[in-house]
Structure formats: structure tokens, C-alpha cells
Amino acid sequence: MQLIIRIILGFVVGAAAGGLITYLYVTTSAKSKIQEMLDNAEKEASSIIKSAREEEKKAQERSEALLKQAQEQVSSMLSEAGKELKSRREQLEKLEQRLSQREQQLDRRLDSVEAKERKAEQKLQLAEEKLRSAEAFEQEAVKKLQEIAAMSTEEAKQFLFSRLEEELREEFGERIRRFEENFKEEADRKASEMIVAAMQRVIMEKPEDPVISVVELPSEEIKGRIIGREGRNIRTFERITGVDLIVDDTPEVVVLSSFDPVRREIARRTLEKLILDGRIQPARIEEIFTKEKEAIEQEIIEAGDKAVRDLGIREMHPDLKHLVGQLKFRSSYGQNVLHHSIEVGFIAGMLASELHLDTQLAKRSGLLHDIGKALDHNVEGSHALIGAEVARKYRENPLVVNAIASHHNEVAQESIYAVITQVADAISASRPGARRENYAAYIKRVQQLEEIAKSFDGVESAFAIQAGREIRVIVHPEVIGDNEAFALARDIAKKIEEELIYPGQIKVTVVRETRVAEYAK
């Protein structure tokens, strides 16, 4: 850098000197300009020198900073390497400690196993000694017994075994008898307590039949307005509601007929509103029917939600709750099916609680056990099997599905919840005031059922069982063969459907058996 400065100074001085010699003969003004140029040149040279020194200083500072930075990085890398090396050493020390502990544990276990083996050998030796002592005592006792009784070994054994067997038989028989008596008494007492407790904790309102098929009229002239000109109103009413409207000679009464209880209830309310309104015409019939249908639908939803909520059931598919709500408009033997189902759910839950079982499963099984009755007017088959299929469709618990299907013994019961559901159903149906079917009407229906079965050729006898839910038909085996038995069951069922009015369904069972008897003289 100093060499550069010297060269620049030499160049500047040389240039100035050359200019001075060249312009010796210039005028005084020229000399002053030359002097000014020399001054400027000196200033510029001084500035260049200063700038060069500053650049040199900056370069030196920069090189020092880079050197310091490099030293710091090297120091940091050395520190990190030292930490990592220290961490590795600590891990190795911990691993060595674990290995040492494991080795000590294994040594202790080995010592324990060896000690146990020694104890076992000692016990085995002691047992063998006791066994030898017992054998010796037995041999000595046998010899003394033979000497005293003058019996052979086999005779002595037979005598001892017979006496022992007789004493044990008497003692065990007495114990078993006492145990059975105590167990039966305890079981009867516990069962009575459970049933009474369940029934006491369930308070249901008196069942009423909400399905009314008879509508009273304020006067006879209303019948003509219901029929309308050329039967226009009654045809419109039957077409819209899907219910048969029977107008006969009975004074101030018309009858609604339909297998669908919900549809019949909508039709009943529609007809009553039309009678109160007085304007009975096709447009008005359709308008009121639509309103009543929406109102019934809302009632069904609310009834289903209330039943689930009252029983404390946590979750249930909305479609299942809708079917539960439809049971509000269905009755069986005068007993409202929804009230009956809620009651069965309560009783089943109480029984499950007494038995320390899952009350939720029991309540679901009880509430849904008659769910098939909401559909049995549209689907063929037993309401129990229909209900089980519906519950399976909506992914109910398999135990609940089996309880629904088996509560009338149509399929095998696979769990205690099925038994609880059946018992709760029987309690609800058999309690006083639950069902109001007239006794005389019931006897007449059962007699008609048996008479229908006996009217066929080849039938020996017929018996109505399960409160008229099943008819057992006994046939002559020489008249009715196996193939004819199938046809006979179908014909009897068809005739029952045509001639008999009954709730639910009736099972027809044809029994054919061949008995062979011979006497030895």
C-alpha cells in the first residue's frame, strides 16, 4: 500500500514539475493557475492517501473479525463434540449399570430357584417317608383285622366298603334332601320378592283402547251428507283415507273398518271434524285429512320419544322410535300395546336390576318385544319374528333381537334377557285389569277355533292352547299322510282367516303319529 502511495506521489510531483518547466514563460495569471493546480493535486494526493489508509484499516479489521468468527466456530464445534462425547459416556455408564442389575437379579432368581428345588426335594422325601409309613400301618391294620375277624383280605375289603357306602349314602341323601328343600324355599322366596318388587315399582295408567271404529252422529240426516250426491263424498273419503266407511241402519252411528289402526284413527278424527264443521265435500275432506294426518304423525313421534325417555333408554334409531309411537294406536285383547310395552320395559328393568344384570338391555328388550305389531297388518308372519327382523335391520344388540323373537317360544331363548322379557310380558298381561276381553267372547272364539279344525275329514281332535294363539290338530295317521298334513294345516289356517275374527295370528300345528301296540299272552 505504501509503494502505491509513493508511486502516486511521484507521478503527481513529476507531472507538476513538468508543467512548471513548460510554463515558465507563461503570464502571471497562468502561474497562479499553476499554483492552484499544484495545491489541488496535493490535496487530492493527500485524500487518496487517507482513503488508502482507511481501506487498509478496514481490511485489517475485517480480517481480524473473520479470524475471530472462525475461532468461535471452532470453539463451538469443540464444545458440542465434548457434550456429545459426555452424553455417550453417560449412556454407556447407564447401560453398564442396567446390565449389572440384570445380572444381579438373575443371580438372585437362580439362587431362589435352587432353594425351591431343595425344598421340593425335601418335601418329596418327607412325603415318600409318610407314604411308606402309611403303607406299613395299613399292612399292620389289615393283619390285625384278619387276625381278629378271621376274614380274608377280599372279605374284609368288601365288608368295610359296604358299611362305608351305606353310611355315606344315608348321609349324602339327607344332606341333598335338606339342600334341595332349602334351595327351593330360598328360590321361591327370592323369586316372589323380585316379582313383587318389580310390580310395586311400576305404576301404569289403566289401559284404554285408543282405536275407535264407531263414530256417533248428532242426527240421522248427517248420514246423507256423509254419503253425498250419488255417493261422491263417501267414495272420496274411502279413497283418501284408505278406510271402509260403513253406513247401515244403525241409528246415529257409522262404522270405520281397516286393518291399519293408524289409518283408522286418522279417518275417525277426519270424520268427526267434518261432522263438526258441517261442510262435507271432497275438497274439505282432503284438507281435513291432510291436517289430521300431520297431527297423528306428530303424536306418533312424540309418543315414541316419550316412551324411550320415560324408560331412560340412552339411544335408539329414529325409525324404531317411530314404530314404538305407532303402537299407541294398536290394542291387543283391549290392552293398549304401547302402554303394555312400556310396562314390560319397566318390569324387565326391575327384574334385571334385582339380578344385577344390564338394565339397559332388559328395558330395550321389553319396550321392543311387541314392535312387530306395528307392522303385522302389512307383513305376513308372527309379530315376534317380524319385530326381531326389524330390530336386526336397525342393528340392535343380538340379545335384544333374540328376546323379541323368542318371547312366544317361536325360537330358542339364547340368554337370560330373553327369559326376563318373557316373564315381564306375562306379568304385564296377566295382572288384574290389564286385558278386558269378555270371558264369554273368549270362550266362544276358542270353541269356534276348535270347531273349524274338527270340520275337516281325518281330524281326530283339536285343542286350542296359549289363550287361542295356537290350535293343535290331532289327525288319524291311516287317513292323513305326511304330505296331506301340510295341505290340511294350510286349509285350516285359510278357513280360520275367512271365518274368525281374532287379534294377532294363530299358529296351526298338525300332529300325526303312528302307535303300534302288541300284547304278550
Side-chain angles (χ1 to χ4, degrees):
M1 182 64 67
Q2 293 177 355
L3 180 62
I4 295 171
I5 293 171
R6 290 175 181 174
I7 294 171
I8 293 171
L9 289 174
F11 175 79
V12 172
V13 173
L20 182 60
I21 296 171
T22 305
Y23 293 98
L24 286 175
Y25 300 101
V26 182
T27 61
T28 304
S29 60
K31 290 180 180 180
S32 61
K33 289 181 180 180
I34 291 170
Q35 185 64 37
E36 184 180 355
M37 289 175 64
L38 288 174
D39 293 338
N40 290 335
E42 288 178 358
K43 289 179 182 180
E44 186 176 357
S46 176
S47 175
I48 290 171
I49 292 169
K50 185 178 180 181
S51 175
R53 287 177 179 174
E54 288 177 356
E55 288 293 332
E56 182 181 6
K57 184 178 180 181
K58 288 181 180 180
Q60 186 175 359
E61 291 176 353
R62 195 177 300 164
S63 63
E64 290 176 355
L66 290 174
L67 179 60
K68 185 177 181 181
Q69 184 178 1
Q71 290 176 349
E72 290 177 353
Q73 289 180 355
V74 170
S75 176
S76 175
M77 291 173 64
L78 290 174
S79 176
E80 290 178 359
K83 290 179 180 179
E84 185 176 359
L85 182 60
K86 183 179 180 181
S87 175
R88 294 286 180 88
R89 287 177 180 174
E90 290 177 353
Q91 291 178 358
L92 288 174
E93 289 176 357
K94 289 180 180 179
L95 184 59
E96 288 177 357
Q97 291 177 359
R98 289 180 184 176
L99 291 175
S100 177
Q101 291 175 357
R102 291 285 181 88
E103 187 177 358
Q104 292 175 1
Q105 290 176 358
L106 289 174
D107 291 340
R108 286 195 296 270
R109 289 183 181 179
L110 183 60
D111 294 339
S112 176
V113 169
E114 291 177 352
K116 288 180 180 179
E117 287 181 354
R118 288 193 297 270
K119 289 181 180 179
E121 290 178 357
Q122 293 174 0
K123 289 181 179 180
L124 182 60
Q125 292 176 0
L126 183 60
E128 289 177 352
E129 292 176 359
K130 288 183 178 180
L131 180 60
R132 287 193 295 269
S133 176
E135 289 176 351
F137 179 78
E138 183 182 4
Q139 292 175 1
E140 185 177 356
V142 170
K143 289 178 181 179
K144 288 183 179 180
L145 183 62
Q146 288 176 349
E147 292 175 358
I148 294 172
M151 294 181 180
S152 64
T153 304
E154 293 299 326
E155 291 174 348
K157 285 182 179 179
Q158 189 66 28
F159 175 75
L160 289 174
F161 287 156
S162 61
R163 289 290 301 275
L164 181 60
E165 184 179 359
E166 184 178 352
E167 292 177 1
L168 290 176
R169 187 185 298 112
E170 292 178 359
E171 184 177 355
F172 284 151
E174 180 64 22
R175 289 188 179 183
I176 290 171
R177 185 183 63 79
R178 289 200 303 267
F179 176 77
E180 288 179 349
E181 291 176 356
N182 295 336
F183 180 77
K184 185 177 180 181
E185 291 176 1
E186 182 67 19
D188 292 341
R189 184 186 63 80
K190 188 65 177 176
S192 300
E193 290 178 357
M194 289 168 58
I195 293 174
V196 170
M199 293 179 69
Q200 285 178 341
R201 293 167 69 182
V202 177
I203 301 176
M204 297 294 291
E205 61 187 44
K206 182 179 178 181
E208 298 180 356
D209 187 357
V211 182
I212 300 174
S213 58
V214 177
V215 179
E216 296 182 1
L217 305 177
S219 63
E220 278 293 302
E221 63 93 11
I222 296 294
K223 288 185 178 180
R225 295 166 62 183
I226 291 173
I227 295 172
R229 182 178 297 177
E230 298 178 355
R232 181 182 63 176
N233 290 344
I234 192 171
R235 286 198 303 272
T236 302
F237 184 88
E238 290 180 341
R239 176 179 58 81
I240 292 175
T241 62
V243 174
D244 293 332
L245 178 58
I246 302 172
V247 182
D248 53 17
D249 296 334
T250 307
E252 297 181 355
V253 164
V254 293
V255 179
L256 298 170
S257 176
S258 174
F259 287 104
D260 190 331
V262 176
R263 187 180 298 169
R264 183 164 50 186
E265 177 66 10
I266 297 173
R268 183 189 68 81
R269 296 189 184 186
T270 301
L271 184 58
E272 289 181 348
K273 291 289 179 63
L274 287 170
I275 293 171
L276 290 174
D277 184 67
R279 293 176 294 169
I280 304 177
Q281 54 188 1
R284 187 63 176 165
I285 292 171
E286 186 172 359
E287 179 184 351
I288 294 180
F289 171 78
T290 302
K291 291 181 180 180
E292 293 303 317
K293 184 178 180 181
E294 292 175 355
I296 290 289
E297 181 67 20
Q298 186 62 31
E299 282 188 31
I300 289 172
I301 295 172
E302 291 175 357
D305 289 339
K306 186 176 184 300
V308 172
R309 186 171 59 252
D310 290 347
L311 284 170
I313 296 174
R314 287 187 288 270
E315 293 180 0
M316 184 174 288
H317 197 282
D319 292 345
L320 271 182
K321 288 196 287 188
H322 191 274
L323 291 175
V324 170
Q326 291 184 27
L327 296 178
K328 177 180 179 180
F329 303 100
R330 175 69 190 263
S331 64
S332 177
Y333 297 101
Q335 186 180 26
N336 182 270
V337 178
L338 178 58
H339 293 171
H340 166 67
S341 298
I342 295 173
E343 187 174 69
V344 172
F346 273 119
I347 295 174
M350 301 309 159
L351 293 175
S353 177
E354 293 292 331
L355 294 171
H356 306 289
L357 299 173
D358 189 340
T359 56
Q360 279 287 317
L361 275 179
K363 288 180 179 180
R364 293 180 84 93
S365 302
L367 179 63
L368 299 176
H369 81 285
D370 273 347
I371 194 69
K373 289 185 177 181
L375 298 170
D376 60 356
H377 55 276
N378 295 324
V379 182
E380 294 185 1
S382 162
H383 74 273
L385 299 180
I386 294 172
E389 187 61 31
V390 170
R392 188 180 295 108
K393 174 183 176 183
Y394 293 111
R395 298 182 179 179
E396 278 292 324
N397 191 301
L399 296 178
V400 176
V401 174
N402 177 254
I404 296 171
S406 63
H407 77 277
H408 283 313
N409 295 319
E410 292 174 297
V411 300
Q413 294 176 334
E414 298 176 356
S415 71
I416 192 171
Y417 295 100
V419 179
I420 289 175
T421 302
Q422 188 180 46
V423 171
D425 182 34
I427 293 172
S428 174
S430 61
R431 66 177 176 81
R435 295 186 173 181
R436 306 192 315 271
E437 185 178 21
N438 183 273
Y439 179 74
Y442 167 73
I443 295 298
K444 183 178 179 181
R445 181 168 63 84
V446 172
Q447 289 176 347
Q448 288 178 345
L449 186 61
E450 293 180 350
E451 289 172 0
I452 289 173
K454 292 178 181 179
S455 65
F456 288 84
D457 295 334
V459 175
E460 180 181 354
S461 59
F463 305 97
I465 61 176
Q466 292 190 11
R469 293 180 182 272
E470 182 179 355
I471 179 75
R472 294 279 176 90
V473 182
I474 313 299
V475 300
H476 295 286
E478 63 275 6
V479 178
I480 304 295
D482 289 338
N483 294 330
E484 289 82 357
F486 290 98
L488 178 63
R490 185 173 59 252
D491 294 340
I492 293 174
K494 186 176 181 181
K495 191 171 182 179
I496 291 172
E497 291 174 356
E498 294 173 352
E499 299 183 7
L500 199 62
I501 298 175
Y502 54 91
Q505 69 171 15
I506 298 175
K507 181 180 179 181
V508 179
T509 303
V510 175
V511 180
R512 177 184 179 272
E513 62 177 356
T514 302
R515 296 186 181 182
V516 179
E518 188 62 44
Y519 298 92
K521 300 178 180 179

